[in-house]
Amino acid sequence: MIMTQPSPAHTRFAPSPTGEIHLGHAFSACFAARAGGGQFTLRIDDIDHTRCKPAFTEQIFDDLAWLGLQWREPVRYQSDRFDVYQEALETLTNMELVYPCFLSRAEVNALLSAPQDADTVKDSMRDALPNDERRQRENSGMVPAWRLHTSAALEKVGQLSWHDLASGEDVPIDMTDFGDVVIARKDIGTSYHLSVVIDDAMDDITLVTRAEDLKASTNLHRLLQELLGLSTPDYLHHRLLTDSKGRRLAKRDKSTSIATLRRDGHSADAILRMMPKINISQRPF
Ligand code: GLU
């Protein structure tokens, strides 16, 4: 009898070039490699042109290669895909599941912090401006953010779940904390959430590995996948690395950046030993 080996999951590592990657990012990359049978798709999440810099992208390549990590070629860039994100936004507009939001940041913050109706306000962004004020802002050429009409979207798709490879369970989606989330920012015309589901489908990702601070976002991602008819990967969230005081690592703290550690004379092996052991109990392959 011929035994065929199950093929490894197709994972990705998707850093944003907004600074030097730190130990937490390196851990995420190692995790993606491990879960992907030794390699991953490398995607540069560079939609935010206000903060991303090509020099950081170069540094990411250099740091990952120096750590001995391997990725599939070609490297993917979100900035190559703005037209695809725009098309997806149009699809959702045609389905009447998104609406333009002309509120300023200060107005949104005021709404969200209004104590009397904090629970309901997240849903009421659509009606927050009187019609004539809204029209006036629109006519003056103000660029809106686009918000998902979450309750309508949920009604359309019915009950959904995503597959959590850590527990082996299908987790029903829970959108309570989201409200009418922005899925296209006014400054960049898309958002992390909209772009990531499109990218994962375009890149044939079968298993998304990422830190557990993004676990809540998986609910929204599953909803967007369903609305847009995109494929749904499995999910495996790993622990978030923290500093000695229990605080999550930040790009602005240079002491844990891989580039700094390299400059200080640490070897790649020494850096890999600083990370927790990767324990993928539910082996995806
Ligand atoms: N660019 C995102 C980040 O660095 C990727 C998140 C994800 O893996 O979905 O947080």
Side-chain angles (χ1 to χ4, degrees):
M1 193 166 68
I2 301 170
M3 300 286 282
T4 51
Q5 282 291 101
S7 43
H10 193 162
T11 56
R12 81 324 190 250
F13 174 57
S16 303
T18 54
E20 290 170 350
I21 56 168
H22 55 52
L23 277 172
H25 299 110
F27 179 61
S28 261
C30 291
F31 198 95
R34 178 73 195 286
Q39 57 172 354
F40 49 77
T41 285
L42 178 58
R43 191 175 66 232
I44 302 298
D45 279 4
D46 57 353
I47 41 174
D48 190 343
H49 53 78
T50 64
R51 295 169 60 225
C52 293
K53 294 207 167 66
F56 290 133
T57 302
E58 289 308 316
Q59 184 74 47
I60 289 169
F61 296 150
D62 201 51
D63 286 343
L64 293 178
W66 181 81
L67 284 168
L69 289 161
Q70 286 176 11
W71 56 89
R72 263 177 225 97
E73 293 292 345
V75 175
R76 313 288 173 162
Y77 292 84
Q78 284 191 322
S79 53
D80 287 341
R81 293 175 169 168
F82 278 112
D83 52 341
V84 191
Y85 307 144
Q86 181 60 37
E87 251 174 61
L89 183 62
E90 277 161 25
T91 302
L92 294 172
T93 313
N94 294 337
M95 293 164 87
E96 299 184 358
L97 293 177
V98 290
Y99 59 89
C101 174
F102 290 94
L103 296 171
S104 68
R105 186 179 290 258
E107 287 166 335
V108 169
N109 287 343
L111 273 173
L112 291 175
S113 61
Q116 64 278 30
D117 51 5
D119 280 346
T120 52
V121 80
K122 285 185 285 181
D123 275 331
S124 65
M125 299 275 177
R126 271 180 329 147
D127 313 318
L129 282 180
N131 271 341
D132 48 350
E133 175 63 21
R134 183 187 169 289
R135 258 194 304 274
Q136 201 215 314
R137 291 188 189 188
E138 191 167 4
N139 293 340
S140 73
M142 184 174 175
V143 179
W146 289 83
R147 289 183 182 270
L148 183 67
H149 188 186
T150 301
S151 55
L154 284 172
E155 217 166 279
K156 186 162 185 74
V157 297
Q159 188 54 62
L160 294 174
S161 55
W162 55 272
H163 189 66
D164 183 1
L165 212 65
S167 63
E169 314 242 300
D170 289 331
V171 182
I173 68 164
D174 176 1
M175 291 294 293
T176 356
D177 288 339
F178 280 96
D180 285 358
V181 58
V182 170
I183 58 153
R185 282 165 41 180
K186 56 180 96 174
D187 56 345
I188 58 174
T190 183
S191 65
Y192 159 63
H193 301 300
L194 182 62
S195 302
V196 76
V197 291
I198 293 169
D199 294 324
D200 288 339
M202 286 180 81
D203 297 336
D204 298 318
I205 303 303
T206 59
L207 174 64
V208 168
T209 59
R210 59 186 174 198
E212 62 194 359
D213 60 329
L214 286 167
K215 201 168 184 173
S217 298
T218 304
N219 295 295
L220 172 59
H221 297 174
R222 181 66 192 93
L223 175 58
L224 290 173
Q225 285 158 359
E226 193 69 15
L227 295 172
L228 293 166
L230 300 170
S231 56
T232 303
D234 290 341
Y235 288 87
L236 190 56
H237 299 95
H238 61 74
R239 58 177 281 201
L240 198 61
L241 298 202
T242 50
D243 65 14
S244 54
K245 297 198 175 97
R247 291 174 307 207
R248 56 184 297 168
L249 305 184
K251 279 183 180 156
R252 61 181 176 279
D253 175 9
K254 292 281 171 275
S255 68
T256 58
S257 105
I258 303 301
T260 304
L261 293 167
R262 287 175 67 177
R263 272 194 298 271
D264 288 351
H266 294 276
S267 68
D269 273 351
I271 290 179
L272 294 173
R273 277 197 305 271
M274 290 176 195
M275 295 176 203
K277 266 182 94 150
I278 295 175
N279 179 13
I280 300 178
S281 49
Q282 193 102 20
R283 282 168 63 94
F285 45 88

